[in-house]
Amino acid sequence: MSPDKRYHLTTFGCQMNEHDSERMKGMLESIGYSEAASRADADLILFNTCSIREKADERFIAHLYEARAIKRRAPETIVGVGGCWAQSVKDEVFARFPFVDVAFGPGQVPKLAEFLTSDSLSAQGFFEFESFTGHLPAKRAREHQGWVQISVGCNCACSYCIVPSTRGREVSRDPDELVAEVRSLAADGVREVTLLGQNVNSYGRDLRGERRASFAELLGRIDAIDGIRRIRYTSPHPKDMREDVIRAHAELPALCEHIHLPLQSGSSAVLKRMRRTYTRERYLDRVALIREHVPDCALTTDVIVGFPGETEADFEATLELVEEVGYDGAFTFAYSPRRGTEAADLPDQIAHELKVERLERLVEVVQRRAAERARRFVGRRLEVLIEGPSRTDPARLRGRTRHNKVVNFDGIGEPGELVEVDIAAASSQTLSGAMSLVGPLRG
Ligand code: SAH
Ligand code: SF4
Ligand code: F3S
């Protein structure tokens, strides 16, 4: 293979895909590829896709047609499609998009390297659930922040969700291997790790014998690693949010005061049809337990409106719950029917206009409560991990608090440094302030 091949990779979807893309890049560079500045400059045009909602599909397909246009001008270009969309359509991709050369699911990323280093000229698809991307070399987007894939797949059966079919059954990675991986990240300058899994806090249930470890135990072992100053994880499931994990937030110095706890709906009847396996009361009980052990913990969530059969009363139950909990932030989605899921065939699908109206009403409450919650930070001095220049004013810096709030601030420092910032103002999305004059924190 000639040493000067270049790839261009576009990533869609969640943090797991961002992680997988870093591994794809690491793998491609290990076989001699380098990154191209644009698609038109690339020998290999790659997409790491998402299929969580219909919009995700539409966005990606517009990009895929751009790749076709490039390939018409430069027929030698290889077009590759990985990730959840690829997995969900499998070999159909070649009939629908004949210019695609290689397609692979999230469990088959290493096959991309095999394909590229073989002499095969025919289109190929790889869709077994076989390997962890976490075993591949990584090319990190941020020097001081690292993703750690602790498990793959999902054993839940949420009736709206395509993920169990695109990521397969849940498999946890060996805890010793994960600790070794985080140690080497720390040695490489990583300060903050985010542990990833589709249902991250059910980690370890499938491990046997000496390898057995719970999620809380894994958190403890990672917290003990020198150099790791912040630990985050996403996404936990409320049904698996056990007290030992909540206590860990109070006890482990590196574990951040932020929990993303996906709600989906505040109506027990809707939760039941969603097959979430908890009720409104059980969810609120988890929130109460979090607030009891970690009073200042930031809470964020995901909410779906317009699930089939959602009545005005169901929706109001969601609004009330969001009002009551007072989230620090929330991702809000209009229900989108996905191929092959149970909910797509349920009766009483909700009209688009009604979904949009409910979304607007929900967003109003989310933002108002988030702005109210953010005010508790004004006047406090908070530890901030610098990420780079502020996006709105390059003369200022941008960083993140342990609560996962973005802060724009006046100060001097390099990405990856932990500094103290006096918070002067807050909106629903961001905080603003100035670096404290006592100088950088230890570390
Ligand atoms: N494994 C994670 C992430 C799932 S996808 C978890 O369970 O939390 C992220 C969010 O997308 C979900 O929490 C849900 O709110 C939303 N989502 C998933 N499928 C959807 C669908 N069909 N329509 C609308 N939103 C959906
Ligand atoms: Fe989808 Fe539910 Fe699994 Fe999350 S827990 S990935 S929403 S099936
Ligand atoms: Fe999308 Fe797959 Fe993540 S469907 S949200 S990329 S798990």
Side-chain angles (χ1 to χ4, degrees):
M1 193 188 68
S2 70
D4 54 355
K5 293 257 185 209
R6 288 195 290 176
Y7 70 89
H8 185 275
L9 170 58
T10 313
T11 307
F12 302 89
C14 61
Q15 284 109 326
M16 191 63 94
N17 261 16
E18 286 184 37
H19 164 272
D20 291 352
S21 285
E22 291 188 353
R23 301 288 170 155
M24 271 182 221
K25 289 182 179 187
M27 181 184 76
L28 289 169
E29 303 206 354
S30 76
I31 59 166
Y33 277 77
S34 60
E35 197 161 357
S38 72
R39 267 182 211 145
D41 296 331
D43 304 283
L44 168 65
I45 300 179
L46 262 184
F47 297 95
N48 194 9
T49 60
C50 171
S51 214
I52 198 78
R53 286 167 290 275
E54 203 175 345
K55 274 208 186 108
D57 286 4
E58 288 164 2
R59 262 184 74 206
F60 153 65
I61 285 165
H63 284 264
L64 189 56
Y65 282 126
E66 274 178 41
R68 178 177 66 179
I70 292 170
K71 191 162 172 153
R72 279 195 181 137
R73 294 193 296 271
E76 297 299 299
T77 313
I78 296 175
V79 176
V81 180
C84 287
W85 177 86
Q87 183 71 37
S88 75
V89 300
K90 297 197 183 165
D91 288 318
E92 241 178 78
V93 63
F94 302 114
R96 284 171 62 191
F97 306 97
F99 54 94
V100 170
D101 299 287
V102 57
F104 51 99
Q108 290 284 291
V109 175
K111 285 285 181 354
L112 171 64
E114 275 178 40
F115 174 85
L116 294 170
T117 50
S118 75
D119 298 326
S120 167
L121 290 174
S122 61
Q124 283 193 43
F126 306 97
F127 304 105
E128 294 299 305
F129 295 118
E130 207 168 63
S131 47
F132 296 111
T133 43
H135 288 154
L136 296 167
K139 182 189 182 189
R140 288 199 311 279
R142 283 220 175 96
E143 220 175 307
H144 304 96
Q145 198 269 340
W147 308 115
V148 182
Q149 181 184 54
I150 69 166
S151 62
V152 295
C154 183
N155 288 354
C156 296
C158 303
S159 59
Y160 51 83
C161 185
I162 199 168
V163 173
S165 72
T166 65
R167 298 263 172 182
R169 301 289 293 169
E170 191 173 302
V171 187
S172 303
R173 284 176 68 197
D174 184 285
D176 291 340
E177 185 183 300
L178 291 168
V179 168
E181 184 171 318
V182 177
R183 277 211 188 100
S184 79
L185 286 173
D188 204 25
V190 166
R191 293 293 186 83
E192 175 179 304
V193 288
T194 304
L195 313 184
L196 296 177
Q198 296 309 326
N199 177 356
V200 76
N201 56 340
S202 74
Y203 171 83
R205 304 251 162 95
D206 54 326
L207 298 174
R208 294 287 170 262
E210 286 190 358
R211 298 168 65 228
R212 201 164 170 87
S214 70
F215 183 57
E217 283 160 1
L218 181 69
L219 288 172
R221 290 186 64 186
I222 291 177
D223 181 76
I225 296 171
D226 273 350
I228 297 300
R229 299 290 298 275
R230 289 182 172 189
I231 304 171
R232 303 185 186 280
Y233 57 84
T234 200
S235 284
H237 194 298
K239 80 173 164 63
D240 296 311
M241 203 62 197
R242 291 181 3 195
E243 188 163 347
D244 56 357
V245 175
I246 296 172
R247 279 180 183 277
H249 280 270
E251 289 161 8
L252 302 177
L255 188 57
C256 289
E257 292 76 29
H258 169 223
I259 299 178
H260 181 73
L261 196 63
L263 167 69
Q264 314 306 359
S265 170
S267 152
S268 293
V270 173
L271 287 169
K272 188 155 192 206
R273 276 182 284 123
M274 287 178 162
R275 298 199 187 281
R276 289 291 287 177
T277 70
Y278 54 84
T279 59
R280 172 191 178 92
E281 289 69 33
R282 164 84 184 164
Y283 183 92
L284 284 172
D285 169 66
R286 295 296 93 185
V287 172
L289 200 62
I290 293 168
R291 296 247 155 102
E292 180 190 325
H293 288 291
V294 199
D296 190 38
C297 194
L299 273 179
T300 55
T301 198
D302 293 343
V303 185
I304 298 175
V305 303
F307 186 79
E310 184 188 67
T311 62
E312 174 63 21
D314 290 323
F315 174 65
E316 280 172 12
T318 301
L319 278 186
E320 263 169 38
L321 190 149
V322 169
E323 185 83 52
E324 181 182 332
V325 170
Y327 291 101
D328 295 80
F331 296 111
T332 52
F333 308 106
Y335 167 72
S336 170
R338 306 315 291 136
R339 54 191 168 275
T341 61
E342 187 189 344
D345 297 326
L346 286 177
D348 304 322
Q349 299 281 330
I350 305 290
H352 175 73
E353 296 70 35
L354 188 54
K355 286 182 197 166
V356 171
E357 186 210 301
R358 287 183 180 165
L359 207 52
E360 283 170 2
R361 287 165 67 197
L362 177 62
V363 167
E364 189 277 321
V365 180
V366 164
Q367 287 186 346
R368 178 167 46 75
R369 294 295 280 133
E372 284 164 16
R373 289 281 292 163
R375 276 197 232 94
R376 78 185 188 282
F377 298 123
V378 175
R380 282 166 64 178
R381 181 169 290 180
L382 297 179
E383 180 200 273
V384 172
L385 181 66
I386 302 179
E387 291 182 350
S390 156
R391 284 182 192 155
T392 46
D393 177 0
R396 304 184 85 202
L397 290 171
R398 171 196 153 97
R400 224 169 260 270
T401 68
R402 291 173 60 93
H403 300 89
N404 208 31
K405 278 276 170 194
V406 171
V407 191
N408 293 304
F409 62 101
D410 301 314
I412 308 166
E414 294 300 317
E417 255 177 57
L418 285 162
V419 297
E420 292 205 317
V421 174
D422 292 319
I423 306 300
S427 72
S428 64
Q429 303 284 341
T430 57
L431 305 176
S432 175
M435 210 164 112
S436 130
L437 296 175
V438 294
L441 295 172
R442 78 183 161 84

